[in-house]
Amino acid sequence: MGELNRRKALVGASGVAALLASGLLPGVAAATGAASGQAPGGPPDPVAATYLRVLLRHTRWAEQQFDAAAGIYPAKDFTFAVVLGNALLLTRPGYDETTAGVSQATLKAHTLATIEHFAASNLLTGGTEWGRKLFFDTTFQSYFLLAARLLWTDLDDATKRNVERITTEQAAYTTALGTGNDPASGDWTPNGLKGGYVGDTKLEEMGVYAQSLAPALAWAPGDPRAKDWREAFGAWSRNETGLPAADLANPRLVDGHPISANTATNLYDTFLVENHGSFGPHYQEELWRTSGRNAMHFLAAGAPLPEVLTAQPNGELLWRSMLLMTSDAGEPLMPMVADREHLYGRDVIPLAFRAQVLGDRHAARAEADLAARLEPYQAYAPADRITKFSGEPKYEPEARAELAISYLLHEWRARQGPVTPVSTTEFDAHAAGVADFGAAPGLLAHRSPTAWAATVTKPGFVKFAWQPHHDDWLFVLGGANPMLLPATNIAVKERHATTYEKVRDGFDGTVGVLRFDAGYAALATLPTGAAVYASTGVAESEGVLNVYNLAMPGVPGLDGDRTYTAAEGKVTLQATAAPTGARTDDLMFTPVTARHVRMLGVQPDPTYGYSLWAFEVRDGDGPDLARAGTASASSAASGKEAKYANDGNAATRWAVSTSDRPRADSWLAVDLGAPQTLDRVRLSWEAAAGRKYRIETSQDGVTWTTVATYPVPALRSTKGWLDIDGRAGIVTGGPNPLTVTGDRVTLSDGPAVPLLAELYPNTEDLAKLAARPKATTTADTVRASVTDGFLVLVNLSGTAATGTATLPQDGGTYRLYRGEQTVTRTGTEVSYALAAAEGRIEPPRFTVRGPVGLKAVVRDASRVDLTAPPGFLPVVVTVTPDGGRPRPVVLPPRRAVPVVFGDVRPYPLADLAPGRTTFPAEPLPPGMSSPAAAVDDDPATAWRPGPDGRLVVDLGAVTAVSAVELAWTPGRRPKASVETSVDGVTYRTASSGPARYVAVRTGWRSGDASLTRLSVRT
């Protein structure tokens, strides 16, 4: 990547003089117009053109923040950072006053006044208003300083001196901290160069320390203190993604320092980043977000990039887990984060950095997809904003700044030659995969080419998530939003995770089985994008899917309505504005006799939860029975206890506690004192009105029965299938109806009962799928489903189960699955033996045409043993391996005949190594090729060790290894030894015993053979 060291500054035609005065070279905007198809001097490519249009329109929002009395954009929420977007627009051609809503001259005056003010008010220049604090002042300093450089010749001398002082003195302050905490930043700490906090892996924190140093290294490289700044910048940057098992295996020098000298333990050992106690891919992006900010200073100054920005230790392994979470909009799906979803403006820069600086064509695809969403998203109310779904105001000026940086990165890239995005099909194939990130992160994820799915067990976020077509605007999955399970606060007692990987099993898939106090539930995900949900019935109203219904023209699916189709008919629900203010709900139902009545929340007001002025219970026009009762609640705010909901005083009310405001299942109950007949309730809500809730009655206050719901279902079906807006298909089996209420789908609307649901990313043949005979099992605890040809078996119990699954099949051709089975008149009967809480996915390894009574034992994908039914004559059958050619086989009476297809891989492979993570990770030592080639099960690829090279394979867990086998390409074999380790730190020379990490150490010399296969056996 030598091209990154060229001294090239970024400047439009109107800003050449400004940047020349600051020592920058002429820019690239005018030079790239012809090559990109843009007008000379215009944006270098269509994505950059989108950024410019969005920034122009966003200027309307920025100008609304301008404080005319003070003559500046305000300090509150770092709003003054809008100056970077302003500076870009002021130094690029094509300024449109109509779109921006302000004249160019006025915008320039506002911008220069703001830069002058905040350059003087920074703590580092003797001011008292802002600055120096690592969290979060230095992030906005980075934007501010870059804006000042873009407008350098328009600044007065005093402001220039202040900008230079902020640049250098921030670096001096940060360096003086050593590896200690910033006393001004509270508990925001990287924990030195160690990191390793559980729940907060410190990637972002180390990145902030590094980014506070980058402007000085770019703009003041001749400062006598620069050597110390460079050392500190390198140490923080190299350790951002530290993992000892990976780092210790990599002697590669980065900026003159070996990666093996890193000390940080920032990540889970499955390369997943946590922040604020949960997995948020938004923070996984932080490595490239800070890199983008930092790189822009170097590139704008015409300075070489530090090597660490383009050779980040372990960065590519982190990116793999990021790809696994990518939505169709290019940004990550986030099942554990509520207020970081759809931050389109803020999520641009990580992709722009990877695409434009690193030349990553897959990131370029994601960036283009995200850019395509920006303008429709920006037009949605509140119009003009670009982080409108986040609760943090500082994200708005930040997103403006990062769009400007992303535009500048495109200008720089245009001089190197554009990065062509891969196709969507290529991206989906590349991003496909599975990962069990472990019980502590609580994520088991699967991205197939047509869907994304996950089992989430992090406390407070428990759910089974599924997004067909990676559509981030179909199902609401973030934070405390339930999916399939009716609530996210159910305590997980046991977690059982199984992964299937194409390289070892011939297909990708996952099964997550969870035990709760009330029973078991499981989700199996298939390579087709389909999924199977099975449950013993863990709660009432199970199988929840909340659907986005917005009018956001330009975003697929958000056309202002959603249509739901079932056997009983079709209903189209219009997008509605979020309800606001107080309301009164009158709910009537069939008369019941009960002592207890309660409101059980399903969806609270998003800000304040639930609050009732009055809760009234009546029989017809009779008196309010609740007045004489005793009220209780799940929680209450001080002075707003439950008793105020039934005291008859319209001026008093009950409200949930502040901490319980986000909780969906808060409740208020009234004990009537004795059984009473009732048929209606009236709820008078304060502004914190429940969006969705149930009215329940009980005889004993323990067992509750639903008598009414709010709102009333728009569609109720008992035929077992549902088409959700042509974007997802559901087939259910269970006694409860399937309902659509507003934007909420409930697959089993009623009491807790066993449920099995098949989830399809398409809506074809749903009625036919629902009507087909279902698979059954001889064990009550075992659920079976054949979905898209895959057999899913799940043991929803704490004891082992054996038995037979009956699989209806027709047409005379029968699918055969691993294990023993017999052909019957209606299909096959498959024997199973499942451990407690085990889930299993079996693909059809063969198909067979043969008589009733034929017995088959499938050993693996290449061998099946066939036995003819009882008789005296030979039987001819036709056997076809999955994806192979048919073969006729003659079966003599009463004798098993092994049928072997030598050209078919014998999935599942007994080898533990294929597909596992390997070290060293990129950047690789000189002369070494990727170690992954030794475990990709491809004889055409091989690992070239390079001089004395060494590789490590991470098996994922400590395993009893019995043997390690090495296969080399033809030629002179290098000296090699096998080492094993349980922790990735300490190794011993051995090829057997307990091990998680298996290493191959070589004395490789030029001309030696390469390692084509590393096998690990148990």
Side-chain angles (χ1 to χ4, degrees), residues 474-851:
L474 182 57
F475 297 133
V476 186
L477 64 83
N481 290 287
M483 290 200 77
L484 294 176
L485 294 170
T488 60
N489 60 355
I490 305 176
V492 176
K493 302 300 182 180
E494 293 177 15
R495 173 187 187 268
H496 302 267
T498 304
T499 60
Y500 298 88
E501 295 188 52
K502 189 171 184 179
V503 68
R504 289 197 308 275
D505 300 288
F507 71 99
D508 287 339
T510 68
V511 186
V513 182
L514 306 182
R515 182 177 73 83
F516 309 100
D517 281 337
Y520 288 81
L523 183 73
T525 65
L526 305 177
T528 61
V532 177
Y533 177 72
S535 168
T536 59
V538 297
E540 186 175 342
S541 296
E542 197 171 344
V544 171
L545 296 169
N546 288 316
V547 181
Y548 281 111
N549 191 2
L550 306 176
M552 194 182 290
V555 177
L558 301 188
D559 52 6
D561 60 54
R562 295 286 192 184
T563 298
Y564 302 86
T565 306
E568 290 82 353
K570 175 185 299 188
V571 61
T572 297
L573 302 180
Q574 302 296 318
T576 58
T580 58
R583 70 167 194 271
T584 298
D585 300 335
D586 287 299
L587 280 73
M588 292 181 286
F589 42 87
T590 302
V592 298
T593 299
R595 173 173 171 169
H596 303 267
V597 187
R598 75 173 179 181
M599 181 285 300
L600 176 65
V602 173
Q603 182 181 347
D605 175 85
T607 304
Y608 299 108
Y610 301 93
S611 182
L612 282 165
W613 293 110
F615 184 86
E616 303 172 54
V617 179
R618 287 183 167 81
D619 180 23
D621 296 328
D624 178 11
L625 303 174
R627 283 293 306 279
T630 302
S632 59
S634 54
S635 70
S638 178
K640 298 178 180 63
E641 288 78 18
K643 63 183 179 181
Y644 294 119
N646 67 330
D647 64 353
N649 185 345
T652 61
R653 62 186 172 94
W654 161 76
V656 295
S657 65
T658 302
S659 62
D660 268 7
R661 285 175 176 176
R663 179 176 169 177
D665 61 346
S666 295
W667 53 267
L668 176 84
V670 176
D671 180 353
L672 303 178
Q676 304 274 3
T677 300
L678 53 130
D679 68 355
R680 65 196 64 196
V681 297
R682 167 175 284 190
L683 287 79
S684 300
W685 293 97
E686 194 253 354
R691 299 288 180 83
K692 296 171 185 174
Y693 60 88
R694 297 197 297 269
I695 299 299
E696 300 180 327
T697 61
S698 173
Q699 299 299 331
D700 56 8
V702 176
T703 302
W704 296 87
T705 300
T706 299
V707 295
T709 60
Y710 178 90
V712 176
L715 178 65
R716 185 177 186 274
S717 176
T718 59
K719 303 299 183 182
W721 64 271
L722 179 70
D723 174 336
I724 301 175
D725 204 39
R727 295 180 172 274
I730 311 292
V731 174
T732 64
N736 288 334
L738 184 157
T739 63
V740 178
T741 305
D743 55 9
R744 187 184 186 93
V745 174
T746 304
L747 305 184
S748 179
D749 199 351
V753 293
L755 170 65
L756 191 142
E758 298 163 0
L759 318 176
Y760 294 93
N762 56 68
T763 58
E764 299 174 0
D765 299 323
L766 293 177
K768 182 178 179 181
L769 289 169
R772 77 190 192 280
K774 303 298 190 296
T776 60
T777 67
T778 54
D780 292 339
T781 62
V782 175
R783 304 287 186 272
S785 170
V786 177
T787 301
D788 286 345
F790 289 80
L791 171 60
V792 176
L793 292 166
V794 184
N795 181 10
L796 300 179
S797 77
T799 58
T802 59
T804 302
T806 299
L807 311 182
Q809 302 189 51
D810 54 23
T813 299
Y814 305 97
R815 291 185 292 264
L816 301 180
Y817 300 94
R818 192 161 60 110
E820 299 182 12
Q821 53 235 282
T822 302
V823 173
T824 69
R825 295 187 182 280
T826 57
T828 59
E829 291 183 349
V830 180
S831 298
Y832 60 78
L834 298 171
E838 180 186 359
R840 187 182 300 169
I841 300 173
E842 296 291 352
R845 298 299 188 184
F846 299 91
T847 57
V848 63
R849 293 185 64 86

Side-chain angles (χ1 to χ4, degrees), residues 8 47 64 206 225 586 610 615 665 774 828 864 868 952:
K8 292 178 179 163
V47 170
Q64 291 172 4
M206 290 189 179
R225 300 165 291 181
D586 287 299
Y610 301 93
F615 184 86
D665 61 346
K774 303 298 190 296
T828 59
V864 55
V952 176

